[in-house]
Amino acid sequence: TVEVFQSICEEIQVSHEGLHTLCKKRNTSAPAFFDLMEGNETLTELYTCARARQADYLADLIHEVAFDGSRDDTPFTGANHVQRDKLKVESLKWTAAKLKPKKYGEKIDVTSDGEKIAAQPIVINLGSGIDPNATTD
């Protein structure tokens, strides 16, 4: 139903869980979720917005995980926690970059401000004596 769809979108915004898990919690499936969204611009926009907000949530979560040192000094397990946290951070970074590539992606466009750059033809004269600008009769 639309109510279930909306509740899933609300939870997406503040969760690291995937769509399949969130649907399963509500006794529905991801294909049913997408079927309901298909052709409905309002629901599509709601889902798109939820995923964009999830990227921001994941970015915040990265900072929490990265700076939580509460378990680092635990005997025998401190190093394991550090490695686990590294894995969490890398996973969250990857997901945030995929959900919102312009903000969290690795490729940054500093030359064209996102505008398409027109290709310019290059004419190379190799000294063959032929003038590329000459007209033939």
Side-chain angles (χ1 to χ4, degrees):
T1 64
V2 173
E3 293 79 20
V4 172
F5 185 95
Q6 290 173 332
S7 73
I8 290 171
C9 287
E10 287 173 10
E11 191 168 352
I12 284 172
Q13 298 176 50
V14 292
S15 175
H16 66 277
E17 293 183 313
L19 181 63
H20 291 278
T21 302
L22 297 175
C23 287
K24 190 174 181 181
K25 284 181 179 180
R26 291 165 177 82
N27 294 322
T28 189
S29 67
F33 179 90
F34 287 120
D35 288 345
L36 185 63
M37 184 174 61
E38 189 174 333
N40 187 322
E41 289 183 31
T42 304
L43 295 182
T44 300
E45 179 63 29
L46 182 66
Y47 178 67
T48 302
C49 182
R51 284 300 191 179
R53 288 181 177 176
Q54 184 184 40
D56 293 331
Y57 169 78
L58 295 177
D60 289 341
L61 192 57
I62 288 169
H63 291 279
E64 289 178 23
V65 170
F67 291 102
D68 177 16
S70 63
R71 300 173 296 171
D72 293 353
D73 296 326
T74 308
F76 304 110
T77 59
N80 290 338
H81 288 296
V82 171
Q83 292 294 11
R84 180 73 181 154
D85 288 348
K86 284 182 182 179
L87 177 61
K88 285 180 188 177
V89 167
E90 287 303 313
S91 298
L92 293 168
K93 279 174 35 180
W94 183 87
T95 305
K98 296 301 178 190
L99 291 172
K100 214 173 192 179
K102 287 186 179 180
K103 186 170 185 179
Y104 300 112
E106 293 182 15
K107 295 181 181 177
I108 300 173
D109 182 6
V110 295
T111 59
S112 68
D113 197 29
E115 297 296 320
K116 192 171 185 175
I117 298 173
Q120 297 293 324
I122 298 174
V123 178
I124 300 174
N125 186 349
L126 300 175
S128 63
I130 300 173
D131 183 3
N133 295 321
T135 58
T136 59
D137 293 334

